[in-house]
Amino acid sequence: MDKIGQISTYTVSLFGHSFDVNPINFIMTWIVMGLLAIIAILSTKRLNIIPKPIQNVAELIYEFIEDIVISTLGQKDGKRFVPFIFTVFVFTLMGNWIGILPNFAVMLGTLIAVVHNIFGAESVQIAWAGLTNIQLTPDPSAWYNFLFHVPDFEEPTRSINTDLAMALMVFFVVHAFGIKKNGILGYLKGYWGDVIPCEGKWLLLAPINIMIPLNIISEISAVVSHSFRLFGNIFGGFMIITIVSSLTKFIAIPIGLLAFFGLFAGLVQAFVFTMLAVTYIGQKA
Amino acid sequence: MENIAGPDFIKALAFLAAGIAMGFGAIGPGIGEGFVGGKACEAIGKRPDEANLITKTMIIGQAISETTGIYALVVALILIFVV
Amino acid sequence: MEFVAVASVLGAGIAIGLGAIGSAVGEGYIAMKAVEALGRQPNAGGKILRTMIIGQAITETAAIFALVMALVLLFGNNEGAEVAKGYALIAAGITIGCGTVGSGFGAGLPGGSTMEGIGRNPENSDTLTVQMVIGQAVTQTSTIFALTVSLILATLTPENTVVKIFAILGAGFAMGLGAVGPGIGDGFVAKNANTAVGRRPEQMGLLTRTMIIGQAVTETTDIYSLVVALILIFVV
C-alpha cells in the first residue's frame, strides 16, 4: 500500500523558478509514441488488397473512427478531422493499456538472481518466510542489481498533466474551428446571442447579459470534466488493483481486475474521450 | 488542537459548506441528465435514421440540465477561495 | 480507547452500512424483473437465470468496494495518529458509504430492463447480456471515483487544525453525496438503451455508442465533485 501516492519528481530550476518534473511520465509518453510509430510503419509497409492481419486491424480501427467522425461532422469537415481524432484515440488507448504490461526488468533480474543463487553465489539472499512472503535481496554489488531499480510501466494517462494537456489541445482545436467556421462575430454570438431573442442588438446587451459568464464557465468546465474523467477512471482503476493486490499479499494476481480496469475500462475511456472531442467539435459547426 | 477563533471558524465552516453544496448540487443534474440520455436512447431505438439529430439534441439538453451543477461548482469554489 | 481507533471503527460501520443499500435494492429489482420474465417465458428459465446471476454479480461490485474500504479502515495501522486522522477516516467512510448508493441502484436498472427484453424474446439473450454488462460497467464510474477519494482520505495524514478537519469532512460529503445522482442517472441511460436493444437488436452498435456518450456526459457533475474534493484535500 505504500506505493500509493508515491510520485517520483525532479525539481528543475529555470529562469529563477523551480518546476517539478515527473521523468517517468515523460518517458512513458515517448514509449507510447514509439510503439504507435512502430505499429503504424509495420501495418502500412506492404499495403495489399488482401490485407495481412496487422494491416487488417489498423484498417478496422481507422474505419470505425472514420465512420463516427463523418457521420457526426458531415462529409467535408469530417474528412479533415479524421487524422486528428484517430491520433487522439490511438494515443489514449495505448496510453491506457500500457500499464498492464508487467515489469520485464524486475522479472529478468529475479530470474538471473534465482539462477545465480542455485549455482551457489553469495551475492543474493532468498528468504522464505512462509508461502506468501518471499524476500529476494540482491547484493548491491551484484552486476544485475540495476534491473531491480527499473520502474514499472505506468500509464501516461494516470497523470493529470497528460490528460489536461490533451484536453487543452482539443479545446484549442474546437475553438479555432469555431472561429474559422463562423467568423469571429458569429463565434462570439454563440456566447450571448442565443438566450434572449434580440435581433442583432445582442452586442448592445452584452454588459447586462447574465448568461455570458455562465457560458464562459461552462466552456472552461468542459476542459476540466474532459480531462478529469480520463484521469479519475485510470487512476481509480490503478488504486483498486494496487489495494486488492496488497490485501492478498501480491500472491493472487487479480487477473479479473486487470482485465476489467486495464483492458475494458481503458478501451471505454479512450472511446469516451474521443467521442467527446468529436461532439465538442460538432457543436461549433 | 488549538482554540478556534472567529475567522478560522468561518473558514472551517465555509469548507464544510463547500463540500455539502457540491455534494447535494450534483445529485439533481446527475439524475436529470440520466433521464435525457435514457430517453434519447429510446428514441434512437425507435428511429435509428435520426440518430445524429437525436444525439445532438441529447448533448444540448444534457448541457442545459447541467447548469445547476455548474452553479453548485461555482458556489463551492467561491466558498473555498473567496470566503 | 483513543479517538482514532473509535473513528476507524465508526468509519468502517458507515462505509459498509450505507454502502450495502444501493446494491441490495438494485439486485432485488433485477430479481423482481427476472421473476416477471419467468412468468412470461417459463421455457427460457436457464437463460433468464444465467443473465440474472451475471447482472447481480456486477451490481454487487459497489457493495464489494464498500466492503474492501471497510476492511482497509478496520485493519489499517493508525498507531499514534493525531485527532485529525480520525476525522479523515470518518470522512473516508462517508465517501464510500454514500458514494456506492447511486451506482448500486443504478446498475440494477439495466439489469431489470434486460430481464424484460429476454422475457419478450429469449432469442436475444446473448446480445442483451453483452449490452447489459457494458452499461453496468460504465455505471460503476461514480463508485470508482468515490473509492479513489476514500482511499486517499484513508491513507492521508492531515495537519492537525480545525480548518483542515472541516475541509476533509467537506471533501467526504462532496464526493459521497455527489456520486449518488450520476450513479442513478447512468443507470437510467443504460436501462432505456437496453430496452431499445431488446426491441431492435440489429441497432446494437449505434445504441451502445449513444449510451456511452450519454453516460459520459451524465457523469460530469460527478467529476466536478471529484475536483472539489481533491481541492479540499490537497490545495486548502
Side-chain angles (χ1 to χ4, degrees):
Chain A
M1 262 214 260
D2 49 347
K3 254 177 150 181
I4 293 169
Q6 201 186 68
I7 300 169
S8 49
T9 52
Y10 281 119
T11 308
V12 181
S13 62
L14 197 69
F15 306 123
H17 295 277
S18 62
F19 299 95
D20 285 338
V21 179
N22 184 353
I24 310 278
N25 183 23
F26 190 70
I27 294 164
M28 289 314 296
T29 312
W30 277 94
I31 289 177
V32 168
M33 289 195 287
L35 278 176
L36 286 174
I38 291 168
I39 293 171
I41 290 169
L42 281 181
S43 58
T44 55
K45 207 159 128 202
R46 281 195 208 89
L47 288 177
N48 217 331
I49 300 286
I50 305 154
K52 281 181 301 191
I54 189 163
Q55 186 191 341
N56 210 350
V57 172
E59 279 181 6
L60 198 73
I61 301 173
Y62 188 82
E63 276 167 9
F64 173 68
I65 297 290
E66 191 182 30
D67 178 43
I68 289 173
V69 175
I70 287 182
S71 73
T72 314
L73 298 180
Q75 193 70 35
K76 187 167 155 282
D77 292 328
K79 271 268 188 284
R80 288 214 325 250
F81 274 104
V82 170
F84 173 67
I85 298 295
F86 181 71
T87 313
V88 168
F89 179 70
V90 289
F91 179 78
T92 323
L93 184 67
M94 192 58 91
N96 292 348
W97 276 2
I98 199 144
I100 62 169
L101 290 178
N103 194 333
F104 293 115
V106 172
M107 282 163 73
L108 185 67
T110 312
L111 206 66
I112 295 172
V114 169
V115 172
H116 207 190
N117 187 267
I118 288 170
F119 286 103
E122 294 293 313
S123 61
V124 61
Q125 264 117 42
I126 302 176
W128 301 81
L131 188 65
T132 57
N133 198 1
I134 302 161
Q135 294 264 320
L136 195 143
T137 39
D139 199 297
S141 62
W143 58 270
Y144 49 82
N145 189 47
F146 74 95
L147 286 172
F148 289 93
H149 294 289
V150 175
D152 291 349
F153 280 104
E154 198 177 280
E155 301 93 337
T157 43
R158 196 204 295 164
S159 159
I160 182 64
N161 298 316
T162 315
D163 302 335
L164 203 54
M166 279 167 43
L168 278 174
M169 188 174 73
V170 171
F171 176 83
F172 284 120
V173 167
V174 165
H175 288 268
F177 175 67
I179 292 173
K180 198 177 167 200
K181 183 95 181 167
N182 305 317
I184 186 84
L185 280 180
Y187 168 78
L188 287 177
K189 198 177 175 184
Y191 287 89
W192 55 70
D194 54 341
V195 185
I196 310 162
C198 47
E199 292 160 7
K201 299 181 194 69
W202 51 272
L203 208 55
L204 298 173
L205 284 173
I208 55 162
N209 191 339
I210 52 161
M211 296 313 283
I212 294 167
L214 287 172
N215 281 337
I216 292 171
I217 288 171
S218 67
E219 290 292 335
I220 293 167
S221 63
V223 179
V224 175
S225 70
H226 200 190
S227 57
F228 270 82
R229 180 177 292 115
L230 185 58
F231 163 72
N233 277 288
I234 303 300
F235 184 68
F238 156 73
M239 273 188 125
I240 290 163
I241 291 171
T242 315
I243 287 287
V244 174
S245 310
S246 72
L247 284 180
T248 55
K249 303 283 179 205
F250 293 97
I251 193 79
I253 306 159
I255 294 172
L257 285 176
L258 273 177
F260 179 79
F261 288 109
L263 289 175
F264 179 72
L267 176 64
V268 168
Q269 290 309 320
F271 179 66
V272 164
F273 192 91
T274 317
M275 277 310 299
L276 284 175
V278 177
T279 324
Y280 289 148
I281 295 171
Q283 275 179 329
K284 295 287 172 197
Chain B
M1 291 272 261
E2 78 279 27
N3 279 331
I4 191 154
D8 260 1
F9 190 54
I10 291 172
K11 192 106 197 130
L13 284 184
F15 289 156
L16 184 62
I20 293 174
M22 192 62 237
F24 276 111
I27 295 178
I31 298 176
E33 286 175 54
F35 266 121
V36 178
K39 288 292 167 190
C41 285
E42 205 181 299
I44 288 181
K46 278 181 193 143
R47 304 198 55 180
D49 328 329
E50 299 289 337
N52 256 331
L53 183 66
I54 295 170
T55 312
K56 224 173 249 175
T57 317
M58 174 187 84
I59 299 273
I60 293 170
Q62 286 183 321
I64 291 172
S65 318
E66 198 185 292
T67 315
T68 50
I70 293 179
Y71 295 161
L73 178 70
V74 171
V75 167
L77 291 180
I78 288 173
L79 280 169
I80 292 172
F81 291 115
V82 179
V83 172
Chain C
M1 272 171 101
E2 57 179 313
F3 176 71
V4 179
V6 177
S8 77
V9 178
L10 180 61
I14 295 172
I16 192 64
L18 292 175
I21 296 174
S23 292
V25 175
E27 283 174 47
Y29 181 75
I30 297 180
M32 178 183 98
K33 291 288 176 186
V35 173
E36 274 180 23
L38 205 56
R40 259 192 228 170
Q41 303 270 1
N43 296 330
K47 280 178 182 169
I48 291 172
L49 183 72
R50 199 183 61 204
T51 315
M52 181 187 85
I53 287 178
I54 296 173
Q56 286 184 324
I58 302 176
T59 311
E60 189 86 22
T61 317
I64 291 174
F65 285 168
L67 178 69
V68 167
M69 205 52 229
L71 291 177
V72 168
L73 288 175
L74 268 184
F75 299 116
N77 182 17
N78 300 312
E79 286 287 313
E82 297 191 68
V83 179
K85 177 79 188 173
Y87 284 102
L89 295 179
I90 294 176
I94 292 172
T95 310
I96 192 70
C98 297
T100 49
V101 173
S103 53
F105 177 60
L109 294 173
S113 66
T114 302
M115 290 301 150
E116 269 176 22
I118 295 180
R120 212 173 284 129
N121 188 359
E123 308 247 304
N124 298 337
S125 82
D126 290 343
T127 323
L128 275 167
T129 309
V130 173
Q131 172 80 11
M132 175 187 77
V133 169
I134 298 173
Q136 287 185 321
V138 182
T139 307
Q140 301 300 334
T141 311
S142 58
T143 314
I144 294 171
F145 288 173
L147 185 70
T148 311
V149 170
S150 182
L151 283 171
I152 290 172
L153 284 171
T155 50
L156 191 72
T157 317
E159 52 179 305
N160 203 15
T161 62
V162 177
V163 176
K164 191 71 203 178
I165 288 171
F166 272 81
I168 281 169
L169 285 175
F173 279 117
M175 192 63 240
L177 293 171
V180 175
I184 298 175
D186 273 358
F188 274 121
V189 180
K191 177 190 169 201
N192 285 4
N194 271 17
T195 312
V197 170
R199 292 219 178 93
R200 306 183 77 160
E202 74 276 6
Q203 295 292 342
M204 184 186 163
L206 183 63
L207 282 164
T208 312
R209 225 157 74 190
T210 316
M211 178 186 78
I212 288 181
I213 306 172
Q215 288 185 316
V217 178
T218 306
E219 274 149 20
T220 314
T221 47
D222 199 14
I223 296 159
Y224 297 156
S225 296
L226 177 73
V227 172
V228 167
L230 290 180
I231 288 175
L232 282 171
I233 293 172
F234 290 117
V235 178
V236 168

